[in-house]
Amino acid sequence: MTDAAAPPRNSAAMTLEDAREHGLSEEEWGVVLDRLGRPPNLVELGVFSVMWSEHCSYKSSRRHLRKLPTTGPRVIQGPGENAGVVDIGPGPNGEPQACIFKMESHNHPSFIEPYQGAATGVGGILRDVFTMGARPVALINALRFGAPEHPKTRSLVAGVVAGIGGYGNCVGVPTVGGETNFHAGYNGNILVNAMAVGIADQDKIFYARGAEPGQSIVYVGAKTGRDGIHGATMASAEFSEGEDEKRPTVQVGDPFKEKLLIEACLELMATDAIAAIQDMGAAGLTSSSVEMADKGGIGVELDLDDVPQREENMTAYEMMLSESQERMLMILKPGREAEAKAIFEKWDLDAAVIGQTTDTGRLVLRHQGETVCDIPVAPLADDAPNYDRPWTVPPKPAAVRTEDIPEPEDYRQALLKLMASPDIASKRWIWEQYDRHVMGDTVDSSQSGTDAAIVRIHGTNKALAITSDCTPRYVAADPFEGGKQAVAEAYRNLSAIGATPIAATDNLNFGNPERPEIMGQFVRAIEGMAEACAALDLPIVSGNVSLYNETDGKAIPPTPVIGAVGLIEDVGKIARIGGAQEGDLLILVGETRGHLGQSLYLREILGREDGPPPPVDLERERMARSYALGMHALPSPIAVHDISDGGIAVSLAEMCLAAGVGAELFVNVSEAQSGLVAQAPDTGSLCAWLFGEDQARYLIAAKPEPDTLGLLSAATNRGWEQGYQIIGRFSGDALKIADKVDIPLADIRAAYEGWLPAYMAGKSA
């Protein structure tokens, strides 16, 4: 038991009932009493409740997160700081540079208040990045909404998209990529995951650790209000129907203030005045002060009367738990206070010394002349609960036999229906609301169809490739294989454009971990991710866990999103999805077995969601990438696209639309031309060959030149007969497949581009 300090005055001792209302269990309440040697008061209970919330403590997940590989030759900082840091080599003047990035969720707030929930999610993830000294250069988002026909879905889409665009556009950071899916499993709990990427010089990276006793604690940024109180606690609990009353727990963002904060922080960071710095994110002033104290092995004393406040008569409890936006906490080296204040005043921001670091290891808060909190730091951080939740192995679904799956009555209509389905259809209506080119370094954005966004490293010929991926239906069917696949698809998306995958972040969205079946999904997905990350040399350097994503006991589909970053050494040698030209060969890399379990064909055409997901062979993923990169080495321009949802047919249609040129698929050897060998479908089913979602595959457009044919021959000689297969040729203005399909590109484009605008206009389900 910790030695008890004299209880603070002016606040009554709390009870077990009070603790339960703050989200603490009876067992956790007992630990609080043991650590303090007395009951806490209201302020102290509030501090414990937010620091021990699932959102801040990771109490159900952190023992399993340790299974993920987090180190590698490029990793400078892995999990444990505001964001991950990786080496990206020399900058424009030869100085060593780093890429700093992270992904986080703002799910519950975005469901309650879509605009502000999404907007403040963008603001929060930006602060995680520039807190470490990086200038943000790109944003991406991964969005999951309910079924299109659900009465709330359309308004949620409109609000979230407006919030992302409203904040990102105003703060001046391009939103360059993302993904948007729809499924009834998200009807009661949408997902809004935001990722920010920044670039910093390696000698100007800042951490939450590093403070020493006797240094000033400085509050900078916007004033503190009552918005966001109990936001971390809300994010750690299930929903019930009728959550509108929780709107006061959603923060309100100001992107113009954030822009000023970015510039002021970067200006101060150009000096050597900062000892430690932390964003005031979830749990606000509480988490930022406690985390810096814990990482520095020090204590903190704060005088809350000095906290800049925008509302009158705020209590100590409200100030410590407020999640008002655009705020930072920093610890300065002695004598640098005036310098910092001058910089922030120049940018029209508040800057106030609100306390001092100590050697006591305690969090001491004073308000209106009274000590309102005096508790040890250790129980709030490293000593927080760390549960080994019971979990059960998720049952594996029964296999789906290809011969039992009916072929479509009309292949033409089946392909058009897939292209117009909510998960495949163009999201132009969304991304046209985002500024994708501000700052002038966006080379390509994944919203326009390429597999990953490309952002030039300013002043160089290098670029970062950025993507996010997850296929929730795969994870729901088999969390282990689905976790592997999320990593593998991110790896393929980076590889398709010619980038070297270097590191990843994650956003693990699951239901209630107190239910063994949900915890089983989480554990097995983590284990699948870990296996894939290790095999593909893609360490996880940062991330976020979002649990309790359910309403009235109904959990979302398990959604472990992977955000990944790759390095392009020469931006002039990238391969875009739309690079195909008249007469180019269509080459398939990888093996096609026609796996239809959990495919979009099953769901969208036959109305079924059954079978196992496609297996992920990680060695084949590496091998397929090596073949794809071999094609990148060709002197003539090429296009590359990874094969995922909808199989070969959908991926080819996307390539044709992006290039504005049609294609003809060979389906038997006799259709091959010019003496080239074409691979006939060997799945026993044209439907499975066209729409199967086998992994480790790419489609490539390349010139029918000696260099291309030499690579094909070399692949065969190396013994992987499935390495390259010529399966068609780009030509004309239609997509043709034997006597089954002959669709003008104009019809495919109408289906692909038409669904979302019509839906948002209220003209479709």
Side-chain angles (χ1 to χ4, degrees), residues 173-529:
V173 178
T175 300
V176 298
E179 49 180 334
T180 304
N181 295 144
F182 296 82
H183 191 275
Y186 302 104
N187 282 349
N189 202 126
I190 65 173
L191 301 184
V192 176
N193 296 171
M195 178 178 171
V197 179
I199 295 175
D201 291 345
Q202 291 186 22
D203 63 351
K204 286 290 187 290
I205 297 172
F206 292 82
Y207 300 95
R209 61 183 185 267
E212 298 177 356
Q215 297 174 327
S216 294
I217 301 173
V218 180
Y219 171 119
V220 301
K223 289 180 170 62
T224 293
R226 291 188 172 94
D227 50 324
I229 294 173
H230 282 304
T233 305
M234 178 190 68
S236 306
E238 297 180 29
F239 274 157
S240 297
E241 285 296 331
E243 294 293 334
D244 290 352
E245 71 277 5
K246 288 190 175 180
R247 278 197 171 87
T249 64
V250 178
Q251 311 94 321
V252 177
D254 182 345
F256 300 104
K257 186 79 72 174
E258 181 105 336
K259 174 61 175 174
L260 298 176
L261 188 60
I262 291 172
E263 300 304 329
C265 285
L266 293 178
E267 182 173 339
L268 183 59
M269 287 168 171
T271 73
D272 64 346
I274 299 174
I277 185 169
Q278 180 74 37
D279 163 42
M280 286 195 222
L285 190 52
T286 293
S287 64
S288 56
S289 57
V290 168
E291 287 173 12
M292 284 198 292
D294 176 64
K295 290 172 182 176
I298 57 174
V300 296
E301 291 186 2
L302 303 180
D303 190 335
L304 300 182
D305 294 330
D306 295 328
V307 171
Q309 301 162 52
R310 71 166 186 262
E311 300 184 45
E312 295 181 354
N313 302 316
M314 289 193 71
T315 66
Y317 180 91
E318 290 171 331
M319 281 186 275
M320 291 304 293
L321 271 62
S322 168
E323 294 184 7
S324 294
Q325 296 293 285
E326 293 86 41
R327 303 179 302 158
M328 313 280 279
L329 198 65
M330 56 181 63
I331 297 174
L332 299 182
K333 295 176 182 178
R336 309 302 292 270
E337 296 86 354
E339 182 180 359
K341 281 187 176 183
I343 289 174
F344 282 90
E345 286 173 1
K346 183 185 80 170
W347 290 99
D348 197 24
L349 295 169
D350 283 290
V353 176
I354 65 169
Q356 297 287 320
T357 57
T358 69
D359 61 1
T360 65
R362 302 184 74 83
L363 173 67
V364 178
L365 308 175
R366 295 188 175 87
H367 186 227
Q368 298 179 346
E370 300 282 351
T371 298
V372 295
C373 172
D374 187 351
I375 54 181
V377 168
L380 298 172
D382 291 341
D383 198 23
N386 184 0
Y387 294 127
D388 187 5
R389 301 275 192 198
W391 60 280
T392 56
V393 177
K396 291 186 179 295
V400 171
R401 299 196 314 163
T402 301
E403 55 266 33
D404 294 336
I405 297 176
E407 306 242 345
E409 294 181 5
D410 185 331
Y411 273 88
R412 182 182 188 278
Q413 289 303 316
L415 180 55
L416 288 174
K417 186 173 182 179
L418 282 172
M419 296 302 293
S421 65
D423 282 2
I424 295 294
S426 168
K427 305 306 183 296
R428 179 185 297 274
W429 183 92
I430 293 175
W431 53 257
E432 282 189 338
Q433 299 184 50
Y434 303 152
D435 189 334
R436 294 166 289 137
H437 298 286
V438 64
M439 300 180 73
D441 283 317
T442 303
V443 177
D444 210 343
S445 58
S446 66
Q447 296 116 325
S448 56
T450 193
D451 287 300
I454 305 168
V455 177
R456 185 188 299 272
I457 298 171
H458 193 74
T460 75
N461 203 38
K462 300 191 301 182
L464 297 174
I466 311 164
T467 189
S468 72
D469 279 291
C470 182
T471 311
R473 65 183 185 275
Y474 291 175
V475 189
D478 186 333
F480 183 79
E481 287 297 323
K484 285 167 61 179
Q485 192 274 340
V487 175
E489 187 169 348
Y491 176 87
R492 283 198 304 276
N493 282 344
L494 298 176
S495 301
I497 62 173
T500 299
I502 56 175
T505 183
D506 59 32
N507 206 142
L508 309 178
N509 307 274
F510 289 80
N512 186 343
E514 298 169 47
R515 295 165 54 193
E517 67 275 18
I518 299 297
M519 198 65 206
Q521 291 178 340
F522 181 85
V523 172
R524 289 298 286 159
I526 284 279
E527 291 172 349
M529 290 166 52

Side-chain angles (χ1 to χ4, degrees), residues 4-180:
R9 292 180 288 170
N10 82 355
S11 182
M14 296 291 100
T15 66
L16 173 59
E17 186 59 32
D18 296 317
R20 285 176 171 154
E21 290 178 359
H22 279 73
L24 297 181
S25 68
E26 183 173 357
E27 178 186 358
E28 290 166 348
W29 172 246
V31 176
V32 171
L33 295 178
D34 178 72
R35 298 301 186 265
L36 293 185
R38 58 174 173 80
N41 65 22
L42 177 61
V43 177
E44 293 168 334
L45 178 59
V47 169
F48 270 102
S49 73
V50 293
M51 291 307 299
W52 284 10
S53 68
E54 195 75 59
H55 191 79
C56 292
S57 72
Y58 290 66
K59 58 189 175 186
S60 296
S61 59
R62 68 181 189 267
R63 66 177 55 234
H64 298 290
L65 295 175
R66 296 191 183 105
K67 300 173 183 177
L68 294 169
T70 59
T71 60
R74 289 187 178 269
V75 177
I76 296 172
Q77 173 66 55
E81 274 287 344
N82 286 289
V85 185
V86 293
D87 180 2
I88 56 172
N93 300 313
E95 71 283 15
Q97 287 191 315
C99 175
I100 299 179
F101 64 99
K102 188 182 182 182
M103 179 178 277
E104 278 204 341
S105 61
H106 231 219
N107 303 335
H108 286 52
S110 299
F111 184 76
I112 294 169
E113 181 55 65
Y115 184 95
Q116 290 296 348
T120 52
V122 173
I125 197 63
L126 283 171
R127 288 193 299 280
D128 279 337
V129 166
F130 75 76
T131 295
M132 299 196 68
R135 178 169 292 281
V137 298
L139 290 162
I140 69 172
N141 51 76
L143 311 177
R144 264 82 189 181
F145 296 105
E149 62 271 16
H150 189 273
K152 289 185 177 180
T153 298
R154 187 179 287 107
S155 64
L156 288 170
V157 173
V160 166
V161 171
I164 291 170
Y167 205 100
N169 296 353
C170 292
V171 82
V173 178
T175 300
V176 298
E179 49 180 334
T180 304

